[in-house]
Amino acid sequence: MSPPAGEATLTAVLHVPEWTGVRVLAGLTDDAGARQLTGVVIVPAAEVPEAAIAGRLLVVLHEVDRTDWRLDVLVRRARAAGVAALVLPGTEPVGWATAALADRVGLPVLGSPAPLEAGLAARRLLGRTGEVQARQVLRTVAACRRAGRTVEDLAREVTRVLRRPVALLDRSGHVTVGDVPGADRAALAAALGSRNPAEDARLPLPSGVVVLAAPVVVPGGETAAWAAATLPEAPAAEEAAVAAALAVAAVGFGHRLAVRRLTSERDARSRTSLLGELLNAGGAASAATRRRAVAAGWPLEGWHTAVRIAAQREVDTVGLRGEVVAALAAQDVRAVVVESGDGWSAWTTTTHEPGAADVQAHSAKLRRSQRDLAVVVETQVGVGRPHPGLAGLTRSLAEAADACRLAASRPHTGRFVQVDQLGLAQLLLAWTRTDTFQPAARSLLQPLEDQPGDLLHTLGVYLDAESSVAETAAVLGVHRNTVAGRMARIQQLLAVDLADAEQRLALHLACRTMGVAADREAPQDG
Amino acid sequence: MPWSPGLSRIDAADVAALTRGVSLLGSGGGGDAATFAHVLRRRLRSAPLEVRDPGELGDALVVPVGVVGATRLFGEKLPEGTEFVMAVGALIRWTGARPAAVMSLEVGGLNGLSGPVAALDLGLPFVDADLMGRAMPRLDQFTWAACGQPVTPCAMREPGGPTLLVDGADASGLERSARALLAESGGWAALALPPIPASLVRERCVTGGLARACDLGRVALDLGSGTRPEALAGALGSRLLASGRVLDVGRHAASGGFGRGSVTVVDGEDSAVVRLEAENEYLLALRDGEPVATCPDLLCVVDRRTGVPLAVDEVRPGNEVLVLALPGPSWWPERGRLDRVGPRAFGIDAEPILIGQP
């Protein structure tokens, strides 16, 4: 629960931006910090006024000699009058005697470089809540108008205006822009993730920090993100003002997100179609296509090394392209990245043919990029060989796509496969995983499906085990007589002779294609 | 009411008690009496010093003598032994009047013992009276000046140096002359003020100061170390303001020439913060920010273990001390004289708070 408006503890007031320069000189105990302030009394000289001042902040404007004994008298009288805290002009420390006395009687003594401003700010916070809100909202509106076109620009500007860290969180509560200092990010994501995304949220975190979050709605009514501001313990008036200002900022964020989305989708369409044209051209692109490629900054000559990055789950490839480019750039890979299908096709270009060492180094960088990217999305990655010219690009992209498909069934290589490291058989296998071979493989093995005894798997293991019944039995954990029986039934059902090398090869390829192997982690795709 | 003089003579056995007593009456100032204590003890070995009641002396003249200047230099620049004789001699030559007895300028600190030494030097009897009843820094704080009595003609004699005779100056004029001389010379001088008839001593001076010093010193020495703070305070007729450790000693310049200092003591019993404001002497005591005692009462900081009073420039952070307030001389609170010796006379904007005063 947020405290009632118009009241605040001393600790909360100490955290407001207008009090940034205020220093605690002495006497701030937990008890004293938790006192509710009821008002502000501003006096010219170091004297305790006659008026009722209990619970108030006593602000002295004129310079006070820090060594003067009268400061002790002031501390004593102020405490006796029930003053909640004393604000002196200047931040120089007070004498030992005064500090010891303030500690003893429990009167916080604070120093401010601008006591009048500090006093007036406190008075506003304690009294005129509406005014504080209006000020912050107006300043935020101006900030939205003034800030640059990116969400980063806006977050920076609103942070400056509110003097509170403002961040942009994705819908699940993860920080994407700016910072949420003092917050456990996992706890924050958990708390925000379970919220109704259409409503404002106030999250008091265990660290004592309060995070205010306002939904960022993009055109169409969908909540795309959260605008979040971080406050330490703050006066209710300031919290309310920041919440109101944040709602305004959220509109600004939504606007910028929509513009960015629009731009990137347009760019993505243009990139995808350009790549399509290049690939269809098969090494002889039209002048118009070449012009577009040059305009897009895509080099067509030289040696191209392609990479295929496929996401393991359904993702927004347009939205995540920036992350992919960043992950590659972080490893010093300047690649052209194009959204296509369930992932991204990318390539790098060099003027000369890369040597074996270059290929190895490149491959290592890509591996690291994949690992970095895993924070955002789990991927499988295939890398083609370097080939020259436009035709070479097409070829390298095809190799990369094949390698990427293979990578899906290779968790032990980190779902990363480079064509250079493939054996001939694996290349053969890659080519068999085409649209024509897959239905053939499925129909070949179809009779084994729905049969008792896990025949399909048994066949895969048997072929992998070099046709050894004993080895197969050991892998499957069954008796070898069982394996022998199953193999007899398989030959019967499929009407094949496993002694025939050609038939054995065909079955082995079919099993691999269908994902039937000793490695049970392999997905049963198809 | 003046104290009844309880001393009829001073002998060597009294010197220890006198030294302790005048240190207490110094209220943190007045200079270290140790040098004069040595001189006095040696001089008293042959014969005691006779102390006369001013009432017995009729209209015979009594000359006040003492030391002015930087009392701390006294131990560096030792007296020749003829300073008092030369100063009084100059005064006699200028006025033609011959004094029949000697009294002190002030009874606090080293001047508490310089009067008796001067009396021995001059071969005259001593009258137990002085012009302050404690230690104070300025010449306009003499009882005489408060009564409108002239402070000139007077004579100053530097150790081994020239004799200066000043006439026709008021207290502040004399102060200026003395300062000019002392700043250019050895830092201290013997001062002899114009003698007054003994019949005026009771009215215009504080009497019995040395007797009080003797009593206080005896009580303090008899109690010895290890006495409970309350017991010591009670035996001295004083209020115990704090018993604890010195937290801080701050020194800073103040308007009016003398440096200002504050000594902060945290009471070991109840953690009260006791702060003493000081110039040459301790002037104001605050307990938890509330003024509780001021000059001209005597504020004393005493080493808790040895009972020895600590001067303002001797006290250090970490000292284990007692802070005591002893009644000041009763001469001052009468007839508006506090204007001269109360806190405001030292630029401290506080009402006098005196023991036994409403």
Side-chain angles (χ1 to χ4, degrees):
Chain A
M1 264 304 289
S2 116
E7 272 187 31
T9 63
L10 177 61
T11 310
V13 172
L14 274 171
H15 282 117
V16 305
E18 289 88 345
W19 274 44
T20 309
V22 174
R23 298 272 169 280
V24 176
L25 306 180
L28 182 63
T29 57
D30 288 349
D31 277 359
R35 275 180 212 145
Q36 289 288 342
L37 300 180
T38 58
V40 180
V41 178
I42 300 177
V43 293
E47 279 170 12
V48 176
E50 296 290 328
I53 52 173
R56 297 183 183 221
L57 201 63
L58 184 62
V59 180
V60 178
L61 297 185
H62 285 180
E63 196 51 54
V64 178
D65 180 355
R66 293 296 206 261
T67 60
D68 196 337
W69 58 276
R70 277 171 294 196
L71 199 48
D72 289 23
V73 175
L74 177 69
V75 166
R76 161 85 180 211
R77 304 234 160 114
R79 187 70 193 108
V83 163
L86 180 64
V87 181
L88 299 178
T91 53
E92 311 80 47
V94 293
W96 284 74
T98 312
L101 181 59
D103 289 344
R104 172 167 160 75
V105 300
L107 180 78
V109 178
L110 315 170
S112 169
L116 182 61
E117 285 76 359
L120 292 177
R123 184 176 282 174
R124 269 198 305 277
L125 284 166
L126 296 173
R128 294 174 237 152
T129 312
E131 190 188 321
V132 180
Q133 257 183 29
R135 267 165 87 103
Q136 294 292 49
V137 167
L138 285 176
R139 296 171 68 181
T140 309
V141 168
C144 287
R145 199 178 293 154
R146 188 170 53 227
R149 284 168 41 211
T150 68
V151 286
E152 286 83 359
D153 293 336
L154 182 60
R156 210 176 302 120
E157 189 63 20
V158 177
T159 297
R160 197 181 66 75
V161 165
L162 295 183
R163 293 202 249 172
R164 300 293 194 194
V166 172
L168 191 66
L169 279 49
D170 69 15
R171 204 176 142 164
S172 59
H174 291 97
V175 179
T176 59
V177 174
D179 193 15
V180 185
D184 171 3
R185 291 185 166 210
L188 178 66
L192 262 183
S194 60
R195 289 270 165 165
N196 177 358
E199 286 173 11
D200 290 350
R202 178 183 188 274
L203 308 171
L205 298 180
S207 58
V209 161
V210 172
V211 175
L212 300 177
V216 175
V217 180
V218 291
E222 182 201 350
T223 300
W226 296 93
T230 315
L231 290 91
E233 186 184 346
E238 210 228 336
E239 202 178 294
V242 170
L246 203 59
V248 173
V251 176
F253 278 120
H255 173 69
R256 283 165 177 77
L257 282 181
V259 169
R260 188 172 80 178
R261 177 77 200 184
L262 216 58
T263 315
S264 47
E265 282 194 350
R266 194 184 59 214
D267 292 352
R269 259 202 309 282
S270 141
R271 274 190 298 271
T272 310
S273 73
L274 179 56
L275 183 61
E277 282 174 37
L278 286 175
L279 295 183
N280 287 336
S286 70
T289 308
R290 281 180 178 277
R291 230 183 356 260
R292 280 181 63 202
V294 170
W298 294 5
L300 299 182
E301 302 312 316
W303 288 75
H304 305 290
T305 307
V307 186
R308 171 71 190 166
I309 303 167
Q312 288 181 31
R313 58 186 168 88
E314 197 173 314
V315 292
D316 172 9
T317 52
V318 175
L320 282 176
R321 176 178 178 269
E323 312 280 351
V324 175
V325 172
L328 290 171
Q331 300 300 336
D332 202 26
V333 177
R334 313 273 163 223
V336 175
V337 178
V338 177
E339 303 86 341
S340 78
D342 59 352
W344 302 267
S345 294
W347 69 92
T348 54
T349 306
T350 52
T351 47
H352 302 287
E353 181 177 6
D358 297 333
V359 170
Q360 278 307 315
H362 185 62
S363 174
K365 287 176 181 177
L366 293 174
R367 241 176 213 287
R368 285 198 292 273
S369 299
Q370 183 193 19
R371 208 159 47 232
D372 294 350
L373 199 56
V375 179
V376 188
V377 56
E378 289 282 352
T379 58
Q380 57 224 27
V381 173
V383 184
R385 284 177 297 178
H387 297 292
L390 185 53
L393 174 60
T394 311
R395 198 167 158 203
S396 189
L397 280 169
E399 287 177 1
D402 284 340
C404 183
R405 268 197 290 277
L406 273 180
S409 60
R410 302 212 165 181
H412 50 281
T413 66
R415 301 193 200 278
F416 184 97
V417 170
Q418 190 180 3
V419 169
D420 267 4
Q421 293 166 342
L422 293 175
L424 205 58
Q426 283 163 319
L427 269 178
L428 178 73
L429 176 60
W431 288 326
T432 62
R433 299 187 81 170
T434 57
D435 292 347
T436 50
F437 189 83
Q438 282 201 0
R442 190 175 293 122
S443 66
L444 179 63
L445 296 175
Q446 200 273 329
L448 297 185
E449 281 175 14
D450 305 325
Q451 289 292 324
D454 201 6
L455 297 184
L456 199 55
H457 189 224
T458 304
L459 175 61
V461 173
Y462 176 81
L463 292 169
D464 279 352
E466 298 172 19
S467 306
S468 159
V469 172
E471 180 71 15
T472 307
V475 170
L476 292 177
V478 297
H479 196 271
R480 56 190 165 80
N481 287 349
T482 310
V483 175
R486 284 182 189 175
M487 291 315 301
R489 278 181 59 215
I490 289 168
Q491 297 195 50
Q492 200 179 357
L493 284 166
L494 296 180
V496 293
D497 179 8
L498 284 177
D500 183 306
E502 303 245 310
Q503 293 190 29
R504 207 168 53 230
L505 173 62
L507 277 177
H508 205 169
L509 285 172
C511 280
R512 278 300 178 91
T513 305
M514 300 307 291
V516 181
D519 183 359
R520 297 214 76 174
E521 279 182 79
Q524 308 268 325
D525 68 358
Chain B
M1 200 199 81
W3 298 295
S4 57
L7 281 179
S8 55
R9 52 181 234 171
I10 298 169
D11 57 35
D14 299 323
V15 174
L18 282 173
T19 308
R20 176 67 62 89
V22 298
S23 299
L24 286 168
L25 294 179
S27 187
D32 186 0
T35 314
F36 272 125
H38 286 307
V39 176
L40 186 59
R41 194 176 284 115
R42 197 172 326 114
R43 303 289 292 278
L44 288 173
R45 259 186 222 142
S46 45
L49 172 65
E50 190 187 349
V51 178
R52 298 286 293 273
D53 187 324
E56 301 166 14
L57 296 172
D59 281 336
L61 295 175
V62 184
V63 62
V65 295
V67 170
V68 290
T71 47
R72 203 177 313 133
L73 292 177
F74 196 79
E76 287 175 26
K77 185 137 185 162
L78 293 169
E80 270 186 313
T82 58
E83 288 84 358
F84 296 117
V85 176
M86 300 296 277
V88 173
L91 206 56
I92 293 169
R93 283 197 296 284
W94 184 261
T95 60
R98 189 167 287 276
V102 171
M103 60 185 276
S104 294
L105 289 182
E106 60 181 342
V107 74
L110 65 85
N111 270 336
L113 302 186
S114 69
V117 169
L120 289 166
D121 286 350
L122 290 159
L124 294 175
F126 180 76
V127 170
D128 184 8
D130 69 280
L131 304 183
M132 287 181 170
R134 46 165 289 161
M136 276 184 286
R138 299 197 310 265
L139 300 182
D140 69 338
Q141 289 168 324
F142 287 143
T143 54
W144 275 12
C147 295
Q149 182 88 19
V151 292
T152 58
C154 74
M156 277 180 279
R157 169 72 180 190
E158 274 191 67
T163 305
L164 180 76
L165 197 130
V166 182
D167 199 359
D170 60 6
S172 57
L174 176 60
E175 183 102 41
R176 276 198 301 278
S177 306
R179 290 253 179 97
L181 171 74
L182 296 171
E184 294 299 318
S185 64
W188 69 270
L191 174 71
L193 289 186
I196 58 165
S199 55
L200 294 177
V201 164
R202 285 197 187 284
E203 181 193 330
R204 298 187 180 171
C205 307
V206 179
T207 52
L210 210 60
R212 186 187 185 200
C214 199
D215 288 347
L216 286 173
R218 282 212 181 95
V219 168
L221 291 176
D222 286 353
L223 285 173
S225 57
T227 313
R228 286 193 311 114
E230 295 79 6
L232 178 69
L236 293 174
S238 66
R239 272 180 65 197
L240 179 66
L241 300 183
S243 164
R245 184 182 287 267
V246 176
L247 174 69
D248 181 48
V249 179
R251 301 192 198 282
H252 33 268
S255 56
F258 294 117
R260 179 68 64 77
S262 350
V263 177
T264 305
V265 179
V266 174
D267 194 306
E269 279 287 311
D270 60 1
S271 304
V273 179
V274 172
R275 172 175 179 153
L276 293 165
E277 286 294 300
E279 274 185 9
N280 293 350
E281 290 82 25
Y282 300 112
L283 302 173
L284 166 71
L286 302 120
R287 192 177 159 90
D288 282 342
E290 200 66 38
V292 289
T294 68
C295 55
D297 273 358
L298 306 163
L299 304 178
C300 301
V301 176
V302 172
D303 185 297
R304 189 154 75 183
R305 196 171 47 80
T306 63
V308 174
L310 293 171
V312 174
D313 53 8
E314 283 176 334
V315 69
R316 297 282 179 272
N319 285 159
E320 291 285 344
V321 298
L322 308 179
V323 181
L324 305 171
L326 280 71
S330 58
W331 193 89
W332 286 110
E334 298 168 1
R335 299 182 218 169
R337 293 162 181 160
L338 284 179
D339 293 351
R340 233 168 241 266
V341 295
R344 291 209 168 83
F346 296 93
I348 291 181
D349 185 19
E351 291 296 325
I353 300 171
L354 305 179
I355 295 172
Q357 296 282 318

